[in-house]
Amino acid sequence: MRNKIIIIDDDANTRKLLVQYLSKHGFEAFSYPYSNQASIAYIHSHDPDLIILDVSMPSVDGLIVCMELRKFSDKPVLFTSQHSEVNLRIDALNQGGDEYVLKPFNFDVLLARIKAHIRRYKRAFPVNQRHLLLYPGLEIDPSARSVKSYGKEVVLSTKEFRLLVTLAKNPNRIFHTETLYELIWRDMKEGDIRTVMVHIYNLRQKIEKKPKEPLYIHTIRGAGYKFNGSVSLSDDHIDNQL
């Protein structure tokens, strides 16, 4: 299976040349012009092995796209830019970028960097573990869409599953209720953000042994919710819960 790459750039010529070059070298390459939410949705639907993202485009901030992308994907992001300012480079890497490449770039050098990032990612995340989220007492497999709580299979609705994966992929990060609603229910033109609270309640009933004293999904008063990435189950607690 060929590695998949998405190029997001406002320059049509750059997109065309990159797609042609990468396709010639064995990659499955796609391009997208620019647009914050549309670009994110495009990446989400294609699940690429690497993203090439221009930092500055008309009416869109590549840094914001990367920040939103990191909410659901840990795939390598290679920033390209005509700007060499140190602060911009630092911001790009701090927002989740893996490398910052100045334009104009040498295509052969860029290819070597792409291969290196994909190779490192695959070495760090073997195929059989790449999408598995493991926490004490909880196992989430996004690719198989399965969840086990204390060794028992848990049946979740589509929204519940997406909500759990979003939180578990970003342990200890506080998500505002409004943010979760936009991420999970973005396909609904109208709705009530209180549905997030209802789904959190349902999730706790299904994955927590003591829903009123949740170990995994914590409520942050006045802010939203976070997934406890430091879950620690004592032997006594495990014995009492199993």
Side-chain angles (χ1 to χ4, degrees), residues 49-105:
D49 295 285
L50 181 141
I51 301 97
I52 298 175
L53 178 61
D54 191 33
V55 172
S56 302
M57 296 173 277
S59 304
V60 64
D61 187 337
L63 300 183
I64 293 177
V65 171
C66 186
M67 181 178 67
E68 292 297 315
L69 172 64
R70 283 296 176 239
K71 294 177 181 178
F72 64 86
S73 175
D74 55 2
K75 298 297 179 62
V77 173
L78 198 156
F79 275 109
T80 60
S81 177
Q82 295 178 336
H83 306 288
S84 60
E85 292 87 346
V86 173
N87 287 340
L88 186 56
R89 290 178 179 231
I90 293 173
D91 287 343
L93 297 176
N94 284 339
Q95 291 296 349
D98 294 278
E99 189 165 354
Y100 190 99
V101 179
L102 284 175
K103 292 179 177 181
F105 44 75

Side-chain angles (χ1 to χ4, degrees), residues 37 44 68 71-72 157-168 170 175-188 193 195-196 199-200 203:
Q37 292 303 320
H44 193 284
E68 292 297 315
K71 294 177 181 178
F72 64 86
S157 70
T158 300
K159 300 296 186 185
E160 289 169 353
F161 185 79
R162 288 177 60 188
L163 184 57
L164 178 60
V165 169
T166 298
L167 292 169
N170 300 274
F175 282 88
H176 291 281
T177 305
E178 293 82 358
T179 301
L180 288 172
Y181 183 81
E182 291 174 2
L183 286 170
I184 309 302
W185 284 268
R186 58 174 169 241
D187 54 333
M188 297 177 63
I193 65 170
T195 191
V196 176
H199 279 72
I200 292 290
L203 268 177

Side-chain angles (χ1 to χ4, degrees), residues 7 24 40 78 85 89 108 114 122 132 171 178 205 209:
I7 303 107
K24 179 182 177 182
I40 294 165
L78 198 156
E85 292 87 346
R89 290 178 179 231
D108 291 334
I114 289 171
K122 290 187 174 182
L132 204 61
E178 293 82 358
Q205 297 298 314
K209 285 296 182 179

Side-chain angles (χ1 to χ4, degrees), residues 203-219:
L203 268 177
R204 285 173 173 159
Q205 297 298 314
K206 294 179 179 182
I207 69 171
E208 304 276 5
K209 285 296 182 179
K210 294 182 179 180
K212 293 184 178 180
E213 300 174 22
L215 285 171
Y216 305 112
I217 302 176
H218 289 187
T219 299

